[in-house]
Amino acid sequence: MSKTVETTPFQNQKMGTAGIRQKVQIVKQKNYIENFIQSLFNAIGGVEGQSFVLGGDGRYLNDIAIQTIIKMAAANGMKKLIIGQNGMLSTPASSHILLKYHLDGGLTLSASHNPGGENGDFGIKYATNSGGQCSSAISERIYQQTKQITSYKIEDVEDIDLSKIGTQKLGNMEIEVIDPVKDYLFMMEEIFDFEAIKKLFQSGFTFVFDAMNAVTGPYAIQIFEEVLGAPKGSVHQAVPMPDFGGLHPDPNLKYAKHLVDLMYSDHAPDFAAANDGDGDRNMILGKKFFVSPSDSLAILTDNYHFIPAYKNGISGVAKSAATSTAVKRVAENLHINYFEVPTGWKNFCNLMDSNRITFCGEESFGTGSSHIREKDGIWAVLFWLNIIAATGKSVEQITRDFWKKYGRTYYLRYDFDGIDTAVADQMMRDLENNLTSFVGQTFNGYTVKEAYPFVYKDPVDGLETKNGLLVYFDGGARICFRLSGTGTNGATLRVYIESYDQNDFDKNSEHELQNLLQVAFKLAKITEFTGKTQPDLTT
Ligand code: G1P
Ligand code: ZN
């Protein structure tokens, strides 16, 4: 029943920061998914006798792609596929299943926080037996395969029913359909103090979790409402939809504005959080209060001792170079390991595998720990709830206590979208060439202390990665420039800016960073290259 189908290569199947991502209309082309999957299987030496986990965030094409992958896995001799019911699994849950059942690999069908629906994006992330996304070396091998593929193997059978939990066979391959929430919930119960969080809800603490019509709805209903006792209706937009109900499922001030508006209104609950499409990002809000993701990582790290799973100590913490330096001060104070890595979660994985770090995070609303090898949205929310339950303090109080102890890092990311790729590359090359000439010069009152390209040498595999350009100023201010690796529309320039203040914690971030933003424009000649006089998105 297995057949071999001839095909011709696509030239645009290169994986970015987190897997392959493309517009749905591109992915819909005949053989597009088939080519990519077969190339992946070929690049890793085949999947015969292997066991994989498979699931997705339910976006448009999830149902079609999953059937294709099941049939191809069987035709390629895979031994077993564990699949989330109805094809659904959050990215963190998938990483957990991979590790818990010692599987060989995992495929997550998601373009993360990018919009879904027919005109949105689709994507596939590939994780290895380490539980984390494959290295750049492996994605390069896959890319090379995609450019020379001539045929793929697929079972010629009816679609598989994924609606019922249980085991079935496709040829020699076993398919186990699992409850996507169950194992994940067990893991969370082992990490956090569920009894304390239950008492918090019993005391009348009010809470909203916004699943943004994406994969975390069923997780959140079960964990927060059914197990922890948050009032029914605390989880908003809880039903996953192929187009996320038209939302851009990225939990930030722009795309989750409805939640921000609620939290700044007079009927705000005590605490609110949102997750992205595939459940690995999180946004944390208190009453009339927003916690910047870089601060959130630093605050969680500083409060690790409240969490049962970490109370015996943590080995270290890492952040992407672009993330604010707030957590660095915490690491110094706690005398734990501290690392800065290139953007992309896969860069934390070796550090976790070798027990150099316990926590890690990125400014892009991602926080996580070594319990899995992906960032974890619900984990971050439970961490905050656990701290609140343990201290009796509000989100705002916890954050202000943190600022008093360490000073405040004002931080924002400015994105310039849809730039011609060649122009963006030229702009970055130009900036890189000029970096050393900036040192010692003063721009808008800020004197450049150091300026260099960020190069990371992984302490485990020794591999070097270059990612972004850094400019440090006297007094703790900093600008980082880099190009996005997840966009599907030209290039996006990301400019990450921070300043540091030990006394005044009530400045408006946009206002505080305005002068530095002008410096960024000047250093990178943004207007000259792109014509843009303002960023397209500030988060
Ligand atoms: C973006 C974020 C990065 C994150 C990635 C996947 O990548 O900046 O922190 O790991 O999405 O969620 P970028 O587009 O900047 O390459
Ligand atoms: Zn995501």
Side-chain angles (χ1 to χ4, degrees), residues 509-531:
S509 299
E510 290 210 40
H511 188 255
E512 161 72 7
L513 300 174
Q514 189 53 36
N515 281 337
L516 281 162
L517 176 62
Q518 293 318 318
V519 175
F521 264 95
K522 183 150 193 200
L523 299 184
K525 304 189 189 128
I526 296 173
T527 308
E528 272 169 75
F529 276 104
T530 68

mmCIF file of all heavy atoms in Angstrom, residues 509-531:
data_model
loop_
_atom_site.group_PDB
_atom_site.id
_atom_site.type_symbol
_atom_site.label_atom_id
_atom_site.label_comp_id
_atom_site.label_asym_id
_atom_site.label_seq_id
_atom_site.Cartn_x
_atom_site.Cartn_y
_atom_site.Cartn_z
ATOM 1 N N SER A 509 8.427 54.012 29.566
ATOM 2 C CA SER A 509 9.514 53.361 28.820
ATOM 3 C C SER A 509 9.736 54.010 27.447
ATOM 4 O O SER A 509 10.869 54.266 27.046
ATOM 5 C CB SER A 509 9.236 51.877 28.624
ATOM 6 O OG SER A 509 9.148 51.249 29.859
ATOM 7 N N GLU A 510 8.634 54.269 26.731
ATOM 8 C CA GLU A 510 8.799 54.831 25.378
ATOM 9 C C GLU A 510 9.493 56.182 25.449
ATOM 10 O O GLU A 510 10.359 56.494 24.631
ATOM 11 C CB GLU A 510 7.431 54.992 24.702
ATOM 12 C CG GLU A 510 6.835 53.650 24.370
ATOM 13 C CD GLU A 510 5.945 53.687 23.150
ATOM 14 O OE1 GLU A 510 6.289 54.381 22.166
ATOM 15 O OE2 GLU A 510 4.911 53.003 23.172
ATOM 16 N N HIS A 511 9.103 56.964 26.442
ATOM 17 C CA HIS A 511 9.681 58.289 26.599
ATOM 18 C C HIS A 511 11.151 58.169 27.005
ATOM 19 O O HIS A 511 12.037 58.815 26.435
ATOM 20 C CB HIS A 511 8.864 59.054 27.640
ATOM 21 C CG HIS A 511 9.263 60.485 27.733
ATOM 22 N ND1 HIS A 511 10.012 60.965 28.780
ATOM 23 C CD2 HIS A 511 9.059 61.527 26.888
ATOM 24 C CE1 HIS A 511 10.245 62.246 28.583
ATOM 25 N NE2 HIS A 511 9.686 62.617 27.448
ATOM 26 N N GLU A 512 11.400 57.295 27.965
ATOM 27 C CA GLU A 512 12.759 57.097 28.477
ATOM 28 C C GLU A 512 13.723 56.670 27.357
ATOM 29 O O GLU A 512 14.880 57.066 27.320
ATOM 30 C CB GLU A 512 12.719 56.044 29.595
ATOM 31 C CG GLU A 512 14.031 55.371 29.946
ATOM 32 C CD GLU A 512 15.012 56.273 30.691
ATOM 33 O OE1 GLU A 512 14.618 57.389 31.053
ATOM 34 O OE2 GLU A 512 16.175 55.854 30.873
ATOM 35 N N LEU A 513 13.224 55.847 26.428
ATOM 36 C CA LEU A 513 14.123 55.261 25.424
ATOM 37 C C LEU A 513 14.137 56.022 24.094
ATOM 38 O O LEU A 513 14.846 55.638 23.161
ATOM 39 C CB LEU A 513 13.756 53.787 25.204
ATOM 40 C CG LEU A 513 13.864 52.911 26.475
ATOM 41 C CD1 LEU A 513 13.345 51.500 26.203
ATOM 42 C CD2 LEU A 513 15.302 52.850 26.983
ATOM 43 N N GLN A 514 13.346 57.090 24.030
ATOM 44 C CA GLN A 514 13.213 57.830 22.779
ATOM 45 C C GLN A 514 14.564 58.309 22.215
ATOM 46 O O GLN A 514 14.847 58.155 21.031
ATOM 47 C CB GLN A 514 12.266 59.028 23.017
ATOM 48 C CG GLN A 514 11.860 59.784 21.775
ATOM 49 C CD GLN A 514 11.267 58.868 20.701
ATOM 50 O OE1 GLN A 514 10.575 57.908 21.006
ATOM 51 N NE2 GLN A 514 11.558 59.145 19.442
ATOM 52 N N ASN A 515 15.390 58.870 23.093
ATOM 53 C CA ASN A 515 16.686 59.378 22.620
ATOM 54 C C ASN A 515 17.568 58.259 22.088
ATOM 55 O O ASN A 515 18.270 58.419 21.088
ATOM 56 C CB ASN A 515 17.433 60.100 23.751
ATOM 57 C CG ASN A 515 16.876 61.497 23.946
ATOM 58 O OD1 ASN A 515 16.278 62.057 23.030
ATOM 59 N ND2 ASN A 515 17.053 62.038 25.143
ATOM 60 N N LEU A 516 17.535 57.132 22.783
ATOM 61 C CA LEU A 516 18.343 55.993 22.324
ATOM 62 C C LEU A 516 17.817 55.458 21.002
ATOM 63 O O LEU A 516 18.586 54.989 20.153
ATOM 64 C CB LEU A 516 18.362 54.890 23.385
ATOM 65 C CG LEU A 516 19.333 55.151 24.542
ATOM 66 C CD1 LEU A 516 18.982 54.281 25.749
ATOM 67 C CD2 LEU A 516 20.781 54.875 24.113
ATOM 68 N N LEU A 517 16.498 55.522 20.816
ATOM 69 C CA LEU A 517 15.933 55.079 19.541
ATOM 70 C C LEU A 517 16.486 55.967 18.413
ATOM 71 O O LEU A 517 16.852 55.470 17.343
ATOM 72 C CB LEU A 517 14.402 55.133 19.581
ATOM 73 C CG LEU A 517 13.689 54.797 18.273
ATOM 74 C CD1 LEU A 517 13.987 53.360 17.835
ATOM 75 C CD2 LEU A 517 12.174 54.982 18.404
ATOM 76 N N GLN A 518 16.582 57.264 18.687
ATOM 77 C CA GLN A 518 17.134 58.170 17.667
ATOM 78 C C GLN A 518 18.599 57.825 17.384
ATOM 79 O O GLN A 518 19.057 57.890 16.236
ATOM 80 C CB GLN A 518 16.996 59.642 18.102
ATOM 81 C CG GLN A 518 15.549 60.141 18.168
ATOM 82 C CD GLN A 518 14.693 59.665 16.988
ATOM 83 O OE1 GLN A 518 15.140 59.667 15.840
ATOM 84 N NE2 GLN A 518 13.475 59.214 17.270
ATOM 85 N N VAL A 519 19.316 57.440 18.430
ATOM 86 C CA VAL A 519 20.710 57.021 18.244
ATOM 87 C C VAL A 519 20.757 55.782 17.341
ATOM 88 O O VAL A 519 21.579 55.684 16.425
ATOM 89 C CB VAL A 519 21.392 56.729 19.611
ATOM 90 C CG1 VAL A 519 22.794 56.182 19.404
ATOM 91 C CG2 VAL A 519 21.421 57.983 20.473
ATOM 92 N N ALA A 520 19.830 54.862 17.577
ATOM 93 C CA ALA A 520 19.781 53.642 16.761
ATOM 94 C C ALA A 520 19.550 53.989 15.290
ATOM 95 O O ALA A 520 20.199 53.440 14.394
ATOM 96 C CB ALA A 520 18.686 52.714 17.274
ATOM 97 N N PHE A 521 18.621 54.917 15.051
ATOM 98 C CA PHE A 521 18.355 55.356 13.681
ATOM 99 C C PHE A 521 19.634 55.856 13.038
ATOM 100 O O PHE A 521 19.955 55.541 11.901
ATOM 101 C CB PHE A 521 17.309 56.486 13.684
ATOM 102 C CG PHE A 521 15.913 56.017 13.444
ATOM 103 C CD1 PHE A 521 15.051 55.749 14.501
ATOM 104 C CD2 PHE A 521 15.443 55.823 12.150
ATOM 105 C CE1 PHE A 521 13.759 55.306 14.274
ATOM 106 C CE2 PHE A 521 14.160 55.379 11.910
ATOM 107 C CZ PHE A 521 13.317 55.119 12.981
ATOM 108 N N LYS A 522 20.383 56.629 13.834
ATOM 109 C CA LYS A 522 21.589 57.244 13.305
ATOM 110 C C LYS A 522 22.675 56.201 13.026
ATOM 111 O O LYS A 522 23.278 56.178 11.945
ATOM 112 C CB LYS A 522 22.064 58.273 14.341
ATOM 113 C CG LYS A 522 23.242 59.037 13.925
ATOM 114 C CD LYS A 522 23.244 60.428 14.520
ATOM 115 C CE LYS A 522 24.306 61.206 13.772
ATOM 116 N NZ LYS A 522 24.751 62.354 14.464
ATOM 117 N N LEU A 523 22.914 55.339 13.996
ATOM 118 C CA LEU A 523 24.004 54.364 13.853
ATOM 119 C C LEU A 523 23.757 53.430 12.676
ATOM 120 O O LEU A 523 24.665 53.127 11.906
ATOM 121 C CB LEU A 523 24.166 53.535 15.139
ATOM 122 C CG LEU A 523 24.508 54.290 16.431
ATOM 123 C CD1 LEU A 523 24.735 53.311 17.564
ATOM 124 C CD2 LEU A 523 25.742 55.172 16.256
ATOM 125 N N ALA A 524 22.535 52.943 12.542
ATOM 126 C CA ALA A 524 22.261 51.948 11.489
ATOM 127 C C ALA A 524 21.768 52.588 10.195
ATOM 128 O O ALA A 524 21.499 51.881 9.233
ATOM 129 C CB ALA A 524 21.242 50.933 12.000
ATOM 130 N N LYS A 525 21.654 53.909 10.183
ATOM 131 C CA LYS A 525 21.142 54.634 9.013
ATOM 132 C C LYS A 525 19.824 54.017 8.541
ATOM 133 O O LYS A 525 19.637 53.700 7.348
ATOM 134 C CB LYS A 525 22.159 54.582 7.861
ATOM 135 C CG LYS A 525 23.531 55.119 8.244
ATOM 136 C CD LYS A 525 24.417 55.235 7.005
ATOM 137 C CE LYS A 525 25.841 55.564 7.358
ATOM 138 N NZ LYS A 525 26.840 54.687 6.769
ATOM 139 N N ILE A 526 18.925 53.842 9.496
ATOM 140 C CA ILE A 526 17.685 53.114 9.197
ATOM 141 C C ILE A 526 16.853 53.840 8.133
ATOM 142 O O ILE A 526 16.354 53.216 7.196
ATOM 143 C CB ILE A 526 16.877 52.894 10.499
ATOM 144 C CG1 ILE A 526 17.683 52.000 11.455
ATOM 145 C CG2 ILE A 526 15.521 52.255 10.205
ATOM 146 C CD1 ILE A 526 17.086 51.827 12.834
ATOM 147 N N THR A 527 16.731 55.149 8.284
ATOM 148 C CA THR A 527 15.899 55.872 7.316
ATOM 149 C C THR A 527 16.544 55.858 5.929
ATOM 150 O O THR A 527 15.866 55.635 4.926
ATOM 151 C CB THR A 527 15.671 57.323 7.778
ATOM 152 O OG1 THR A 527 15.180 57.276 9.118
ATOM 153 C CG2 THR A 527 14.671 58.043 6.901
ATOM 154 N N GLU A 528 17.874 56.056 5.906
ATOM 155 C CA GLU A 528 18.547 56.041 4.602
ATOM 156 C C GLU A 528 18.333 54.731 3.864
ATOM 157 O O GLU A 528 18.076 54.703 2.680
ATOM 158 C CB GLU A 528 20.054 56.210 4.811
ATOM 159 C CG GLU A 528 20.510 57.649 4.855
ATOM 160 C CD GLU A 528 21.947 57.725 5.322
ATOM 161 O OE1 GLU A 528 22.858 57.393 4.536
ATOM 162 O OE2 GLU A 528 22.131 58.074 6.502
ATOM 163 N N PHE A 529 18.425 53.641 4.598
ATOM 164 C CA PHE A 529 18.297 52.337 3.947
ATOM 165 C C PHE A 529 16.850 51.940 3.678
ATOM 166 O O PHE A 529 16.551 51.338 2.652
ATOM 167 C CB PHE A 529 18.963 51.248 4.797
ATOM 168 C CG PHE A 529 20.443 51.143 4.576
ATOM 169 C CD1 PHE A 529 21.347 51.647 5.505
ATOM 170 C CD2 PHE A 529 20.950 50.545 3.426
ATOM 171 C CE1 PHE A 529 22.709 51.558 5.296
ATOM 172 C CE2 PHE A 529 22.310 50.443 3.204
ATOM 173 C CZ PHE A 529 23.197 50.961 4.139
ATOM 174 N N THR A 530 15.950 52.230 4.624
ATOM 175 C CA THR A 530 14.597 51.663 4.502
ATOM 176 C C THR A 530 13.538 52.701 4.162
ATOM 177 O O THR A 530 12.412 52.334 3.829
ATOM 178 C CB THR A 530 14.162 51.007 5.837
ATOM 179 O OG1 THR A 530 14.001 52.052 6.815
ATOM 180 C CG2 THR A 530 15.199 50.020 6.337
ATOM 181 N N GLY A 531 13.863 53.963 4.302
ATOM 182 C CA GLY A 531 12.856 55.005 4.102
ATOM 183 C C GLY A 531 11.961 55.175 5.321
ATOM 184 O O GLY A 531 11.133 56.080 5.369
#
